[in-house]
Amino acid sequence: MTDAARSEILPVGGSGIVSTAWWGMVCLIATEAILFVYLIFSYAYLGSQQAGPWPPSGPPSLKLAVPNTIILVASSFLLGWGLRMFRRSRDARRLGLVLLGTIVLGAIFVTIQGFEWAGKPFVFSTNAYSSAFFILTGVYMAHCVVGLLMLVALLAWTFMGRFNGTHH
């Protein structure tokens, strides 16, 4: 192969903002964001069309939602901290512990969300609010479950030694 032909070949795996992984993540985040924008817009639209109060049974209780949000935000901070520590120290054991902690917090979030669903006095087909509530929170819970599965894969790869200084 000539040097001219080699320079015409597309790069495989670049780094930084030329990386296919970076662009793939940007596209994934944009797609997820727009999905949630549509779902929240649907909720707001249904509320604007409601003749009576919205939600029909009054404001929802935040007794489980607030602690659950704190747990989810804590898991995000834990994972971010773990990644920064791994970039500095390359200690896979510590990264594994951080991933495990993040998985546990995520599993607690999904479990509490399940209890919140079970405690609702309505079902999916009760009214427009119940449908919007279960679709919005269900898509979000599915999003979190997929994230948990990805974290489990990352944990396995961490213990397999697949991460190093440039690949993490």
Side-chain angles (χ1 to χ4, degrees), residues 3-167:
D3 287 336
R6 277 194 194 114
S7 68
E8 306 240 349
I9 296 173
L10 292 173
V12 176
S15 62
I17 63 169
V18 296
S19 166
T20 54
W22 189 88
W23 281 105
M25 187 57 66
V26 167
C27 290
L28 174 71
I29 291 170
T31 303
E32 293 265 325
I34 201 67
L35 171 67
F36 285 108
V37 166
Y38 287 143
L39 290 172
I40 292 168
F41 174 80
S42 297
Y43 175 86
Y45 177 77
L46 289 170
S48 73
Q49 299 302 307
Q50 179 77 12
W54 186 259
S57 59
S61 169
L62 301 178
K63 188 171 37 173
L64 290 176
V66 169
N68 221 15
T69 301
I70 292 168
I71 289 168
L72 199 60
V73 169
S75 72
S76 296
F77 278 114
L78 178 62
L79 187 60
W81 174 79
L83 181 59
R84 279 192 305 281
M85 295 306 295
F86 180 74
R87 286 179 180 158
R88 281 191 227 142
S89 69
R90 308 289 186 248
D91 184 356
R93 193 172 59 86
R94 184 180 296 169
L95 178 61
L97 289 173
V98 166
L99 287 169
L100 187 62
T102 305
I103 291 167
V104 167
L105 288 173
I108 291 170
F109 170 84
V110 170
T111 302
I112 291 173
Q113 185 64 38
F115 282 119
E116 186 173 12
W117 274 16
K120 291 298 177 192
F122 48 80
V123 295
F124 183 81
S125 60
T126 302
N127 52 35
Y129 171 76
S130 64
S131 297
F133 172 82
F134 283 115
I135 288 173
L136 185 57
T137 59
V139 168
Y140 189 66
M141 193 168 5
H143 166 88
C144 291
V145 168
V146 169
L148 283 172
L149 294 173
M150 292 168 60
L151 286 171
V152 168
L154 290 171
L155 180 63
W157 291 342
T158 298
F159 288 128
M160 291 169 56
R162 293 190 62 183
F163 298 122
N164 55 37
T166 58
H167 183 75

